Amino acid sequence: MGQAVPGEFAYRKVYRYLEALIEQASGGGPCKLPSLRAMSRRLRVSLATVQSAYNLLEEEGRVQCLPRSGYYAQVASKAAAAPMHPQSPLPVQPLLERMLLGHERRLARQRASGVAQWETFGDTRLRNAVAESYTRSSSLYWRAEDVQLAPDVQALLDTVLAGLALQGGTVLVQSPCCWQVLHALARAGMRVLEVPADSRGNPNLRALARLLGAEPVCMLVMPSCLGMPQGRLVSPHYQQQLGQLLGQHPVWLLENDLDSEHCYSGPPRTRLRDWVDPRSLLVLGAFETAVGAEAPYAYVLSHDAALAKAFAERAFRLAPLRLQALALMLGKRQIEIHLVELRTELERRTQYLVRALALQFGQQVAMQTPQGGRMLWVRFRQPLRWDCIVAALAGSALHALPGRQFSLQGRYQQCMALVWLGDQPDDLQQAVRRLAQALEPRCGRPASVSR
């Protein structure tokens, strides 16, 4: 059995525990794994934490959930599993996680009725809280029945595409695109076309109009106000132009709102959804980027009745106490208050990272200070050796994501997204020096410092 890693998220500990169970199983063929409740009791963690670990194993193709039967793992499937794309690390949010678990413990002590009633109550309460947080006025409002919940972004998009009968269709995305959404669409079997950026970093409207007229597009995926991974704000003028263009084409708009709350100066007053027909609008959000890995749930807002029916039939089993705890945090504005501090922290870390890279690489890299988000998009002049980069940054608080991860068409081979989760500038400088060494023509050869 693997040893605990200091500071490791709870769901990763459950994930490694399940890995050990799979490895200890003898022979090939399906291997029955413990149920969510059994694992929750055994490891003394929440159902949501266990669910997150199982979701990750499902994404890797190593676990399959059979309805009314449970989770099964093919013992021999580990070597054959498709490689996972490196995931963007999230900053640890100990204060919010303590708040979340504190609310959950208090609710558990108060629980006196049956589980089914609490499941319904928790789901409705969180949906109502999300609807209230997105309501802007008497004309721009959402109801609890307009909000649908899922265990994560992948499960949510799978259900959305099935509910709207869009599977296998053509979808347009900005390029580079948010990796989480991009690969969820690819895994769902969608035909993904990438719209190149204009001189300001926005998706080129002319190219977008041409594709909308020439291709059987059923959905467009665009950022709400913050384009990632570059971290650039989308201007209201561009949003209005895009809204006018979409008014000429009967396609669904999936507004990516995953990173909007990470704008350093606070979320702007206008969003893309303010300029489009609400009948063809889908707003995608998640709690994980703000609260942490203990809240992996994703949500979508839509007025479409067929979509609501699809989610009702799918009937995701989400931890009711965790849902109620999140609803309390939204209602008490605890998440909103914490986000003010988080934005300041994200901007501070990004500024340190920009200075460290400029000091080390000088004109060898091209980068632009982002206006939001937790990552820095960097373009290098030389080819990138990812085996050397991974080895050089192992164990450090500096994380690198390959640029090709943000495209399905082989773009951005000389780009990477850097995320720094540390607190000590000296440690950052040391990690950047190791990165420079890894980028030398011969892996591991000492690098010259550009000043």
Side-chain angles (χ1 to χ4, degrees):
M1 194 70 63
Q3 298 296 316
V5 177
E8 186 177 35
F9 287 131
Y11 81 99
R12 292 294 307 184
K13 297 177 182 178
V14 178
Y15 169 86
R16 293 190 304 103
Y17 181 86
L18 289 169
E19 273 192 318
L21 292 183
I22 296 172
E23 292 171 356
Q24 290 173 2
S26 59
C31 169
K32 184 77 177 329
L33 294 172
S35 67
L36 295 179
R37 294 190 181 281
M39 285 294 295
S40 176
R41 289 193 299 266
R42 183 184 305 179
L43 302 181
R44 297 182 181 180
V45 296
S46 68
L47 289 174
T49 299
V50 179
Q51 182 72 70
S52 297
Y54 271 119
N55 288 343
L56 184 55
L57 287 167
E58 281 191 280
E59 288 182 0
E60 294 178 353
R62 299 165 60 185
V63 165
Q64 181 181 11
C65 181
L66 300 181
R68 300 182 181 180
S69 180
Y71 287 93
Y72 290 84
Q74 188 72 27
V75 176
S77 67
K78 182 175 181 180
M84 281 288 291
H85 294 277
Q87 298 190 22
S88 175
L90 296 172
V92 179
Q93 309 294 345
L95 178 61
L96 281 185
E97 289 187 352
R98 285 198 298 270
M99 288 181 181
L100 180 67
L101 298 177
H103 284 310
E104 190 174 273
R105 285 192 292 269
R106 285 190 292 272
L107 290 167
R109 290 195 294 267
Q110 298 170 5
R111 183 168 59 182
S113 56
V115 173
Q117 178 181 347
W118 273 73
E119 287 179 349
T120 303
F121 184 60
D123 177 272
T124 302
R125 190 167 185 177
L126 181 55
R127 292 168 66 190
N128 186 65
V130 172
E132 288 182 0
S133 68
Y134 273 83
T135 293
R136 301 271 294 277
S137 66
S138 58
S139 58
L140 297 173
Y141 66 91
W142 299 91
R143 305 163 299 173
E145 52 263 38
D146 299 327
V147 181
Q148 312 303 330
L149 302 172
D152 50 40
V153 171
Q154 180 67 57
L156 184 138
L157 286 179
D158 286 342
T159 308
V160 166
L161 296 172
L164 300 178
L166 302 179
Q167 303 105 313
T170 301
V171 57
L172 298 183
V173 303
Q174 68 166 4
S175 185
C177 179
C178 167
W179 71 271
Q180 194 174 9
V181 173
L182 182 65
H183 292 284
L185 292 171
R187 287 194 296 268
M190 301 297 288
R191 176 176 175 245
V192 180
L193 300 181
E194 301 176 22
V195 182
D198 60 20
S199 59
R200 297 184 178 181
N202 298 315
N204 189 291
L205 282 176
R206 290 186 178 180
L208 182 57
R210 184 169 59 254
L211 288 171
L212 286 171
E215 298 284 349
V217 179
C218 62
M219 177 181 287
L220 178 68
V221 181
M222 288 289 154
S224 171
C225 60
L226 183 66
M228 297 301 293
Q230 304 99 320
R232 293 177 179 172
L233 286 174
V234 182
S235 70
H237 177 67
Y238 179 86
Q239 292 175 342
Q240 185 177 13
Q241 287 183 305
L242 182 55
Q244 293 173 351
L245 177 60
L246 290 177
Q248 304 170 18
H249 300 275
V251 300
W252 287 97
L253 170 66
L254 179 65
E255 183 192 58
N256 181 0
D257 207 32
L258 294 175
D259 298 287
S260 298
E261 295 296 335
H262 288 170
C263 300
Y264 297 152
S265 58
R269 296 184 61 182
T270 60
R271 306 293 181 92
L272 179 55
R273 56 181 173 268
D274 297 329
W275 306 100
V276 301
D277 185 345
R279 294 173 295 181
S280 59
L281 173 65
L282 307 165
V283 181
L284 168 67
F287 299 103
E288 187 175 35
T289 54
V291 180
E294 289 291 342
Y297 305 125
Y299 57 85
V300 64
L301 291 87
S302 171
H303 296 301
D304 190 78
L307 189 60
K309 180 181 178 182
F311 274 87
E313 292 175 347
R314 181 61 181 82
F316 289 111
R317 296 184 63 183
L318 308 179
L321 293 181
R322 184 61 51 91
L323 298 184
Q324 285 204 67
L326 283 170
L328 285 172
M329 294 179 70
L330 281 175
K332 295 176 178 291
R333 298 181 63 247
Q334 290 174 330
I335 296 177
E336 181 180 346
I337 293 171
H338 174 75
L339 281 170
V340 176
E341 299 178 1
L342 178 60
R343 294 180 196 119
T344 301
E345 178 65 17
L346 291 176
E347 183 176 19
R348 181 186 68 85
R349 288 178 178 171
T350 302
Q351 290 173 345
Y352 275 127
L353 182 54
V354 169
R355 287 196 292 267
L357 290 172
L359 181 65
Q360 179 70 46
F361 292 100
Q363 300 300 317
Q364 299 177 41
V365 299
M367 57 184 172
Q368 183 177 6
T369 303
Q371 297 168 292
R374 59 187 180 273
M375 60 181 61
L376 177 65
W377 184 250
V378 186
R379 180 179 179 85
F380 291 81
R381 292 185 178 180
Q382 68 269 45
L384 302 180
R385 296 279 304 276
W386 279 101
D387 54 342
C388 299
I389 293 172
V390 171
L393 298 182
S396 74
L398 181 61
H399 303 265
L401 304 175
R404 63 177 182 270
Q405 182 171 312
F406 300 86
S407 170
L408 297 177
Q409 299 177 358
R411 301 176 179 178
Y412 316 114
Q413 295 291 329
Q414 293 180 223
C415 296
M416 70 172 69
L418 290 171
V419 183
W420 181 46
L421 299 182
D423 296 311
Q424 301 300 323
D426 290 342
D427 294 340
L428 174 61
Q429 290 285 358
Q430 184 178 0
V432 171
R433 284 195 293 269
R434 292 205 301 267
L435 175 62
Q437 292 175 357
L439 294 176
E440 286 293 315
R442 296 181 62 180
C443 188
R445 175 182 174 183
S448 58
V449 179
S450 300
R451 295 185 183 276

